[in-house]
Amino acid sequence: MKTNHRISVVLTLLLCTMLACLMLPLTVKASGGDFTAELKAGYDNKTEIGKYAPFTITIENNGSDFSGRLQLIVGNKVDYNIMYETDFSIARGEKKSAVFACKVVDNLGKANIRIVDKKDRVIWSEEKRYSVDNSALQKIDIGILSDDFAALGYMDGLSFSGNGTVFKSNLTEMKADTFPEDVNALDMLEVIVITNFSTDILTDEQTEALNLWVTRGGLLIVGTGSNSSKTLSKLNGYFF
């Protein structure tokens, strides 16, 4: 009887230990997943509901060389998410960026960045938050391409009235190296101003995106004057 009792106690302890192990969270360390990521969404780090916006992901590789795909999953409050992806290679110690034009459908403000190897295995992922601007209906967003952005500061915060609503202008500084090549990434902007800026440094893809944006109804304002030659250098043939 004592022997059977001891066996029963041992079995009970063993069973409890097994159950305790099963209740512990399962942690799997992915190989080659030594990355850090930064996410910048929209203009001035704000997005708008119902609009496409540029989502710029900057990845730093602290591990070995990698070649596979970079994915961005934009979460929604409804029962589906939207995934964007691109082929992605990055060397050890390198920092590299990719831009997706993503549509924001609600104010959840959550996105998941994933790195996937050539066997479709997720080797690294991280959730990021981004800001959704709820005052977008009262703003006129103006993108500025200029070598002297500060000189146009007088245009910021101006009030306009229309249809019983007061709108305020909101200036966004744009740079040639980050100007979108996808027309959808310009969706948030009502106006783009180009003045005192060498447009010949824009790529053909950037210029074509600007051209399509104008075709869709965007308002382009071009400054000329003493800087007309450099401002118009790439625009002739597209707009004039």
Side-chain angles (χ1 to χ4, degrees):
M1 289 292 293
K2 289 184 177 180
T3 301
N4 290 338
H5 178 70
R6 288 174 182 171
I7 293 174
S8 177
V9 170
V10 171
L11 288 174
T12 301
L13 291 173
L14 181 61
L15 180 60
C16 290
T17 302
M18 292 174 64
L19 288 173
C21 290
L22 289 172
M23 292 173 66
L24 290 174
L26 180 62
T27 303
V28 179
K29 182 175 176 58
S31 61
D34 197 5
F35 302 95
T36 57
E38 179 185 8
L39 175 65
K40 291 184 178 180
Y43 294 100
D44 294 333
N45 291 318
K46 290 183 178 180
T47 62
E48 297 178 10
I49 296 176
K51 298 276 191 175
Y52 284 89
F55 280 62
T56 303
I57 302 171
T58 302
I59 299 290
E60 184 172 4
N61 183 7
N62 302 307
S64 55
D65 295 353
F66 171 80
S67 181
R69 299 196 312 280
L70 176 65
Q71 297 178 339
L72 176 66
I73 301 173
V74 180
N76 300 305
K77 291 180 178 178
V78 292
D79 294 332
Y80 66 90
N81 298 318
I82 304 174
M83 185 176 78
Y84 305 83
E85 69 174 356
T86 185
D87 293 336
F88 191 73
S89 297
I90 185 169
R92 175 183 176 87
E94 186 180 5
K95 184 181 285 189
K96 198 171 183 179
S97 296
V99 182
F100 298 100
C102 305
K103 189 170 185 178
V104 178
V105 299
D106 57 34
N107 62 357
L108 182 63
K110 286 185 179 181
N112 189 267
I113 302 170
R114 303 200 311 186
I115 293 179
V116 180
D117 67 15
K118 292 182 177 179
K119 294 182 178 180
D120 289 328
R121 296 176 302 190
V122 177
I123 65 168
W124 181 91
S125 68
E126 184 173 301
E127 185 178 271
K128 294 287 189 180
R129 301 301 302 262
Y130 62 91
S131 177
V132 181
D133 188 359
N134 293 317
S135 64
L137 294 177
Q138 286 77 45
K139 289 194 312 175
I140 298 175
D141 289 301
I142 304 173
I144 304 291
L145 270 174
S146 177
D147 292 337
D148 191 5
F149 175 75
L152 301 175
Y154 67 92
M155 297 174 59
D156 196 28
L158 298 178
S159 296
F160 303 88
S161 297
N163 297 325
T165 302
V166 177
F167 303 90
K168 283 198 172 182
S169 61
N170 178 65
L171 299 191
T172 295
E173 184 175 13
M174 308 185 82
K175 301 285 188 180
D177 58 347
T178 56
F179 192 89
E181 295 184 345
D182 186 333
V183 63
N184 287 329
L186 297 171
D187 192 33
M188 284 178 60
L189 303 175
E190 283 79 35
V191 182
I192 292 177
V193 177
I194 305 177
T195 184
N196 190 18
F197 177 81
S198 297
T199 55
D200 57 359
I201 65 177
L202 295 174
T203 66
D204 290 342
E205 291 79 9
Q206 289 171 324
T207 309
E208 183 57 28
L210 180 62
N211 186 36
L212 287 173
W213 176 80
V214 171
T215 301
R216 292 182 179 182
L219 175 60
L220 175 64
I221 300 174
V222 179
T224 54
S226 59
N227 296 305
S228 61
S229 58
K230 78 173 187 177
T231 302
L232 296 175
S233 56
K234 188 69 178 281
L235 301 184
N236 283 320
Y238 277 94
F239 306 99
F240 308 107

